[in-house]
Amino acid sequence: MRQHAQAVVIGGGLVGCSILYHLTKMGWTDVVLLERDELTSGSTWHAAANIHGLHDSTNISRIQHYTMKLYKELEKETGQGCGVFQPGSLYLAQTEAREHQLRIQAAKARRYGMSFHEVTRAEAEKLHPLANFEGIRCIMYEPDGGNVDPSGVTMAYAAGARQRGAEIHRFTPVTATEQRPDGTWTVRTPSGDIHAQWVVNAAGLWAREVAAMAGLKLPLIPTEHQYFVTETIPEIAALGRRLPSLADRDGEYYLRQEGQGLLIGAYEKDMKFWAEDGTPQDFGHELFPDDLERIEENMMRAINRVPAIGTAGVKRVINGPMIWSPDSAALFGPVPELKNYFCCCGIIPGFSQSGGLGKLSAEWIVEGEPTLDLFAWDLARFGLWANSAGFIKGRVRDQYSNRFKIHFPNEERMAGRPVRTRPAYEMQKGMGALFGLNFGWEHPLWYAKEGEPKEETYGFVRQNWWKPVGREVRMLRDTAGIIDISNFAKYEVKGPGAEEWLNRLLANRMPTQTGRSCLTPLIGKRGGIAGDFTVTRLGEEEFLIVGSGMAERYHMRFFDAVPLPAGTAFRSLTQTMCGFNVAGPKSRELLQRLTNADLSAASFPFMRSQRITVAGVDVVAIRVSFTGDLGWELHCDEKDQVALYSALLKAGEDFAAGPVGSRALMSLRIEKGYGSWGREYSPEYWPQEVALDRLIKLDKGDFLNRDAYLEIAQKPAREKLSMFRIDAVEADASGGEPIFLPDGTPVGQVSSGAYGYSVGHSLALGYVRADVATGGQKFTIAILGRPHEAELLEKPLFDPDGVRLRS
């Protein structure tokens, strides 16, 4: 066994072998995989191994599409069969909402050249003559859908990795991982130690135990999961071809051919956790006792759809474990607090995603950043707050038992909440607030007044919160509104090297005068937008940074990449500092009643800050507003939040001003054309594509990833961030909708959308090909999967010249 390696992958299941294979494809041949038992032990060997390409997330569709194509290439490359069957998949919609979902996915397929299209009932009956399509509203067909052989795929990855020089050691458990002072790792095994540059935790069911060796806790928990295979069904044996699989997600089961019978699996409501306190070390190719009664309701729905199941005997029942994260997405990426420690754990549809996950993992490890933005899978989306047993179990129970439930735009599931609340939480609840979750924090989405709904509904069309949110938008635009922005991430940098450090981290030049603020991008490893921040100089050696709340742990990777000068300190203030944005044409008058500070435009102009007292509370006041209107951000100590909020609301009564939630803020910022990190701003997009290149100051000297930016700075934009007015009356864009030219040519996609209540139009921000990104250009945007006429706007409809913003 090697004593040195560029990377040690821990875990010989599907994903671990894929990562090893893709590391070798990128040129890292000095790599080792360690497996405690035989390859495919754990969840891999007993998986149903279905494959499909389409997903609600565009980038996840991309990696699934890559994975499906990879298997046949692997077979040619290695000579190892992957057991690929691709008779296609039929997707059934029993409800209007499911029909909307399928039509949305079909539109995305047209955008990305994937094969997924509607078929008639007669066509579906020819494809699957055993199925009863009664009650089905819409049927989509994916010709490449199917399944693979779990062992075959894993062995093919392993063979491909070995061919390029990788070592694989079975029956070699890892007993310890110890980080050395230089950030490299000692990986200990009974067969000897390996000195590794990188450790990759792909240990599946044992990911928690492997993480604990490095002092890390992962929010994961296993459950039982069952499927069964029938005896031979004569109609299938006589057919002479393989049946397409059925994705009847409204029926809450999955169904495909296996041999001459059928395989049926279910995610039942009466779910069952397993090994809550740790996966047994001696567990391997074992299964749990059959418990088909738990999935009886799901089975009956499958029998109604394919009556032949009811007369077939049960040949085999598989009841095995799978391990889940709180949102059923992978825990993927380098651990921000540990140098050179990578995780890829908690994967559920692994056979649809293994290739893409392996490829992106290798890119991240070898090149420092993946080519696709997958923040939705980045383990940094969870902080230490997510390790609460109540949160993990509550969320996983909800995810498992509602596995096939549609995740609607703006949907907020309440399972496992609240986790983190602010002092004003109960007060806001009493005011009718309905809450969302942002990096563990509860924050108000909107406020229900007397006679308005007390609970949200969800769907693809406008929901019951649409009118109340409009009321909040119009109130702020007409008078003023008070928005809780405590969930924004806030950081303090203090010391003699604070300005120097910030200039080496961020792309803009830092303010040189106290009381000045600047907007600045953070550049990623490939030159794209890794973040955007407002930086305010509070004193000679003191700065406040405000950024995306959900990206706080993600951004720590970048902050830690630039060493702090001697005597300079950095700390997060997000937990101890709260804040409100007071905005609207009457915001100055409202605030002036509560402070002796001069808030006039001459004394307190746009992008300036002061330490002032508001209603007896010390605040950092910054003349900036994400609403695009006249406004101030007021940041205070957490202990003063309720007092400040109460005073602002009381003063607002005389102006007919009141609380405003984040749903309204989404509409307000889109009316102004403001981008948001995680939607418009992403490492995938270059600064010149989002109009942030004007904020990059190359003449100030070196800054993080400056060379990467220089490599792409002179390249023409591939796409341009643009604003659209859409002819839509029943639904608004929410993000991901494809954009076409009037002749049907795909040219881009929506990044954010909302109704612009104060301008009277449905609006969207999105990216389109640079050559067609001109004002007045006509497009169609596929809302609900159907074309809606749209026009690219040269300027935002609200305050296009920024008069109100700077007044």
Side-chain angles (χ1 to χ4, degrees):
M1 185 166 69
R2 291 175 182 165
Q3 294 182 322
H4 300 272
Q6 291 166 293
V8 169
V9 179
I10 304 173
L14 171 73
V15 172
C17 289
S18 174
I19 294 172
L20 189 76
Y21 168 77
H22 282 89
L23 284 170
T24 63
K25 283 195 77 171
M26 294 196 69
W28 279 26
T29 56
D30 185 16
V31 289
V32 176
L33 184 144
L34 302 175
E35 165 54 45
R36 53 176 287 283
D37 200 302
E38 183 56 86
L39 296 185
T40 77
S41 296
S43 293
T44 296
W45 74 272
H46 62 73
N50 299 321
I51 57 173
H52 58 277
L54 270 293
H55 191 279
D56 290 338
S57 163
T58 298
N59 277 354
I60 295 173
S61 292
R62 286 171 170 170
I63 73 166
Q64 292 184 173
H65 194 58
Y66 167 82
T67 301
M68 292 171 70
K69 292 196 300 182
L70 178 64
Y71 291 140
K72 289 184 179 178
E73 295 172 11
L74 262 179
E75 289 182 326
K76 293 176 183 177
E77 178 184 336
T78 66
Q80 167 68 51
C82 292
V84 181
F85 295 99
Q86 291 181 289
S89 298
L90 290 168
Y91 292 77
L92 313 182
Q94 296 186 38
T95 65
E96 181 182 49
R98 187 72 66 180
E99 181 178 354
H100 288 327
Q101 182 192 41
L102 294 183
R103 294 197 186 282
I104 290 167
Q105 291 183 341
K108 291 180 180 180
R110 294 196 303 275
R111 154 84 166 116
Y112 292 102
M114 301 176 186
S115 187
F116 185 88
H117 60 271
E118 186 172 7
V119 294
T120 65
R121 176 170 174 173
E123 290 171 323
E125 287 170 344
K126 288 180 181 178
L127 288 165
H128 202 307
L130 274 67
N132 168 22
F133 295 102
E134 196 69 35
I136 299 300
R137 298 172 57 101
C138 168
I139 306 170
M140 295 287 177
Y141 181 53
E142 182 181 25
D144 294 332
N147 64 283
V148 293
D149 170 43
S151 177
V153 170
T154 307
M155 297 307 173
Y157 282 134
R162 285 193 183 104
Q163 287 174 2
R164 290 183 170 86
E167 285 187 5
I168 296 176
H169 297 278
R170 300 169 301 148
F171 306 105
T172 308
V174 172
T175 57
T177 56
E178 300 166 2
Q179 189 153 45
R180 299 186 178 194
D182 65 354
T184 62
W185 292 84
T186 297
V187 181
R188 302 197 184 279
T189 80
S191 302
D193 298 343
I194 304 175
H195 178 202
Q197 180 183 346
W198 278 87
V199 168
V200 180
N201 181 349
L205 289 173
W206 293 270
R208 295 173 297 173
E209 288 70 30
V210 169
M213 295 179 191
L216 177 68
K217 189 173 181 181
L218 295 177
L220 294 166
I221 193 169
T223 69
E224 295 186 11
H225 177 64
Q226 294 184 95
Y227 66 83
F228 66 94
V229 178
T230 72
E231 299 283 0
T232 294
I233 294 175
E235 294 93 330
I236 294 177
L239 197 59
R241 63 175 174 85
R242 198 169 180 89
L243 289 168
S245 61
L246 290 182
D248 185 6
R249 290 169 176 167
D250 292 321
E252 297 186 317
Y253 62 86
Y254 55 87
L255 184 154
R256 69 164 173 82
Q257 185 172 333
E258 177 73 6
Q260 298 299 310
L262 292 172
L263 180 153
I264 301 97
Y267 293 91
E268 69 280 10
K269 301 298 182 188
D270 184 22
M271 57 82 65
K272 192 172 182 180
F273 292 110
W274 175 72
E276 295 180 33
D277 298 322
T279 305
Q281 289 297 313
D282 58 353
F283 188 83
H285 282 81
E286 296 90 354
L287 293 172
F288 307 130
D290 304 350
D291 192 5
L292 289 181
E293 287 187 6
R294 280 216 323 272
I295 65 170
E296 185 175 0
E297 290 184 18
N298 309 66
M299 288 167 56
M300 294 307 297
R301 289 191 288 270
I303 291 170
N304 288 336
R305 186 65 58 207
V306 182
I309 299 170
T311 58
V314 175
K315 178 180 180 180
R316 183 171 73 252
V317 178
I318 300 292
N319 187 12
M322 54 203 308
I323 194 162
W324 298 70
S325 75
D327 57 5
S328 75
L331 297 181
F332 171 67
V335 175
E337 299 78 19
L338 296 174
K339 186 176 180 181
N340 292 5
Y341 192 102
F342 196 93
C343 286
C344 194
C345 317
I347 299 98
I348 301 303
F351 287 89
S352 291
Q353 299 170 352
S354 67
L357 279 168
K359 180 177 184 290
L360 294 173
S361 295
E363 290 173 351
W364 211 334
I365 292 167
V366 176
E367 299 177 344
E369 186 177 275
T371 50
L372 295 180
D373 177 12
L374 279 182
F375 179 76
W377 282 6
D378 192 328
L379 60 83
R381 70 190 184 276
F382 294 118
L384 295 177
W385 51 268
N387 289 323
S388 154
F391 178 76
I392 298 171
K393 290 185 69 175
R395 300 300 274 193
V396 169
R397 181 182 290 110
D398 177 71
Q399 289 291 326
Y400 183 99
S401 60
N402 293 295
R403 176 65 180 157
F404 293 136
K405 183 181 177 184
I406 298 170
H407 283 264
F408 292 109
N410 300 300
E411 182 178 10
E412 295 281 348
R413 295 187 178 181
M414 294 306 299
R417 293 167 54 190
V419 183
R420 299 202 288 179
T421 60
R422 301 289 188 178
Y425 173 70
E426 292 296 336
M427 177 182 174
Q428 290 166 336
K429 276 180 69 175
M431 294 160 55
L434 286 90
F435 292 89
L437 189 70
N438 185 301
F439 201 58
W441 294 109
E442 297 291 328
H443 67 103
L445 297 172
W446 56 281
Y447 293 81
K449 286 197 165 187
E450 190 68 33
E452 292 180 339
K454 303 303 180 187
E455 293 184 356
E456 290 194 312
T457 59
Y458 299 108
F460 292 108
V461 298
R462 293 169 182 165
Q463 296 299 301
N464 67 350
W465 48 265
W466 192 80
K467 287 184 178 180
V469 168
R471 169 181 51 75
E472 294 179 4
V473 168
R474 294 184 185 98
M475 174 183 67
L476 186 145
R477 290 290 192 227
D478 292 343
T479 58
I482 301 153
I483 307 170
D484 189 338
I485 56 169
S486 302
N487 58 319
F488 287 12
K490 299 164 290 285
Y491 316 93
E492 174 191 79
V493 190
K494 292 180 76 170
E499 181 181 346
E500 172 199 348
W501 183 77
L502 285 166
N503 272 318
R504 287 192 290 116
L505 173 71
L506 302 168
N508 201 348
R509 185 179 291 104
M510 293 301 104
T512 57
Q513 297 179 26
T514 296
R516 299 273 180 142
S517 300
C518 75
L519 302 176
T520 177
L522 171 71
I523 303 301
K525 281 279 188 177
R526 300 182 188 275
I529 303 296
D532 68 305
F533 300 92
T534 301
V535 181
T536 299
R537 189 169 199 138
L538 297 179
E540 187 64 30
E541 298 181 349
E542 182 181 2
F543 291 82
L544 175 68
I545 310 169
V546 180
S548 168
M550 68 178 180
E552 179 164 357
R553 193 178 179 207
Y554 167 88
H555 282 141
M556 290 307 300
R557 296 191 184 110
F558 297 87
F559 298 155
D560 290 341
V562 180
L564 283 164
T568 301
F570 170 92
R571 64 172 177 147
S572 170
L573 300 177
T574 307
Q575 189 155 339
T576 58
M577 180 178 274
C578 294
F580 298 99
N581 180 202
V582 183
K586 299 291 186 181
S587 57
R588 178 179 282 118
E589 295 174 60
L590 189 160
L591 282 174
Q592 197 66 77
R593 292 191 177 190
L594 301 173
T595 182
N596 292 325
D598 184 353
L599 302 182
S600 66
S603 297
F604 207 140
F606 183 62
M607 293 300 288
R608 300 293 194 273
S609 73
Q610 295 180 31
R611 281 191 165 105
I612 64 175
T613 300
V614 176
V617 174
D618 293 332
V619 304
V620 173
I622 306 175
R623 175 79 194 279
V624 67
S625 174
F626 203 34
T627 67
D629 215 317
L630 171 67
W632 281 261
E633 288 184 3
L634 307 176
H635 300 280
C636 68
D637 193 286
E638 184 184 46
K639 67 179 174 56
D640 295 321
Q641 185 194 23
V642 171
L644 179 59
Y645 196 35
S646 299
L648 292 171
L649 292 170
K650 181 66 176 174
E653 290 176 0
D654 290 342
F655 299 92
V660 171
S662 62
R663 290 266 170 80
L665 181 58
M666 169 76 84
S667 172
L668 292 160
R669 65 115 178 152
I670 289 177
E671 287 183 345
K672 187 61 177 172
Y674 286 165
S676 173
W677 191 88
R679 288 177 176 268
E680 285 71 43
Y681 303 149
S682 156
E684 285 187 41
Y685 296 112
W686 298 343
Q688 62 267 40
E689 295 171 339
V690 297
L692 291 183
D693 50 333
R694 61 190 172 83
L695 300 177
I696 298 176
K697 308 302 181 186
L698 293 172
D699 60 348
K700 72 169 185 170
D702 196 22
F703 54 85
L704 187 66
N705 299 321
R706 183 179 189 269
D707 289 344
Y709 172 65
L710 286 174
E711 285 188 20
I712 56 95
Q714 300 307 313
K715 294 182 180 180
R718 303 158 298 180
E719 296 179 304
K720 283 280 192 179
L721 178 61
S722 306
M723 186 173 182
F724 302 89
R725 175 171 49 202
I726 311 171
D727 291 337
V729 295
E730 62 173 330
D732 302 295
S734 60
E737 292 85 357
I739 303 173
F740 302 89
L741 290 175
D743 66 2
T745 303
V747 290
Q749 73 172 32
V750 170
S751 51
S752 295
Y755 188 75
Y757 297 92
S758 67
V759 297
H761 292 284
S762 187
L763 303 173
L765 299 177
Y767 286 90
V768 292
R769 241 173 39 205
D771 63 306
V772 297
T774 56
Q777 173 71 51
K778 303 297 184 181
F779 299 88
T780 65
I781 294 179
I783 298 175
L784 303 180
R786 301 184 185 280
H788 290 65
E789 291 184 2
E791 178 187 0
L792 192 150
L793 302 173
E794 286 191 19
K795 291 185 175 182
L797 295 180
F798 174 76
D799 192 26
D801 298 318
V803 175
R804 282 174 61 157
L805 182 67
R806 291 171 172 80
S807 63

